[in-house]
Amino acid sequence: MRDPAKAQNPQVDPRHCRYRLRIAQSRIHRWGVYAEEFIPKRHKVIEYTGEKISRRETKRRAGGDLNYLFTLDGYWTIDGAVGGSGAEFINHSCDPNCHAVIVRGHILYVALRDIEPGEELTVDYRFEPDVPTVRCICGMQRCRGTINLPKQTKARPRAQERAAGCT
Ligand SMILES: [Zn+2]
């Protein structure tokens, strides 16, 4: 179960991040994670931690309107609502400054470009086109309108699989 105290005042777990980060209210959605210092491009920012759950359990937990599920592979999912590092509060953007890289079963968020202090961290959630559509309100010029990927880009290699850029 999610700790209600943590839900009221979420914190980043410093054991899982390389840079000073802060959770604050976001213009995008509820809470967001902000850089408190300069983060250079291609550097690891934070690990997305949580309970490792099966496909069946994922289906059960995905029912609510708010969840922190991150697909690790075809079978496992990480549920950031249980033992999350704070990375679960990083919002989606269609033009993000971080991306997820999966290394030996760990989900690492890596800076896609230099990030200045005070900037909100974002990743592209890349929801599959065949799951229920979630409207995007990221406000970026390149916003595609939904958090889901459009159908035709499904065959493209996922950002997570391009691990070479990880420092
Ligand atoms: Zn968007």
Side-chain angles (χ1 to χ4, degrees):
M1 282 292 282
R2 190 172 188 87
D3 176 2
K6 195 187 164 199
Q8 287 303 311
N9 185 24
Q11 302 283 332
V12 168
D13 185 340
R15 290 174 302 174
H16 296 292
C17 52
R18 292 284 184 88
Y19 294 91
R20 278 185 290 120
L21 307 174
R22 179 173 67 90
I23 296 181
Q25 284 191 313
S26 167
R27 273 172 305 160
I28 302 175
H29 180 70
R30 298 164 66 98
W31 299 103
V33 179
Y34 293 81
E36 288 228 283
E37 61 185 323
F38 176 77
I39 303 171
K41 183 178 175 175
R42 285 194 294 273
H43 280 227
K44 258 185 275 185
V45 181
I46 187 169
E47 178 173 348
Y48 192 109
T49 64
E51 188 183 359
K52 196 172 175 182
I53 58 173
S54 68
R55 191 155 43 191
R56 189 171 162 191
E57 182 62 12
T58 302
K59 231 173 236 169
R60 197 181 70 79
R61 295 189 192 182
D65 54 322
L66 184 69
N67 67 60
Y68 298 98
L69 301 169
F70 193 116
T71 306
L72 189 56
D73 55 35
Y75 187 77
W76 296 105
T77 297
I78 300 289
D79 186 359
V82 184
S85 59
E88 69 276 17
F89 293 106
I90 294 175
N91 283 310
H92 163 88
S93 169
C94 298
D95 191 9
N97 54 20
C98 294
H99 68 149
V101 177
I102 295 174
V103 182
R104 290 181 295 273
H106 292 269
I107 302 164
L108 307 174
Y109 280 3
V110 175
L112 278 171
R113 56 169 173 79
D114 289 349
I115 299 171
E116 300 296 331
E119 272 193 73
E120 178 170 359
L121 304 182
T122 52
V123 293
D124 186 340
Y125 288 2
R126 302 175 65 85
F127 286 1
E128 295 295 335
D130 51 1
V131 303
T133 302
V134 181
R135 198 166 65 88
C136 183
I137 49 161
C138 73
M140 304 304 285
Q141 212 159 36
R142 289 159 58 181
C143 181
R144 58 181 181 252
T146 63
I147 292 180
N148 309 66
L149 293 170
K151 274 199 166 69
Q152 63 269 25
T153 63
K154 203 182 171 185
R156 242 175 33 182
R158 290 164 64 88
Q160 283 96 320
E161 287 156 12
R162 295 197 302 261
C166 179
T167 306

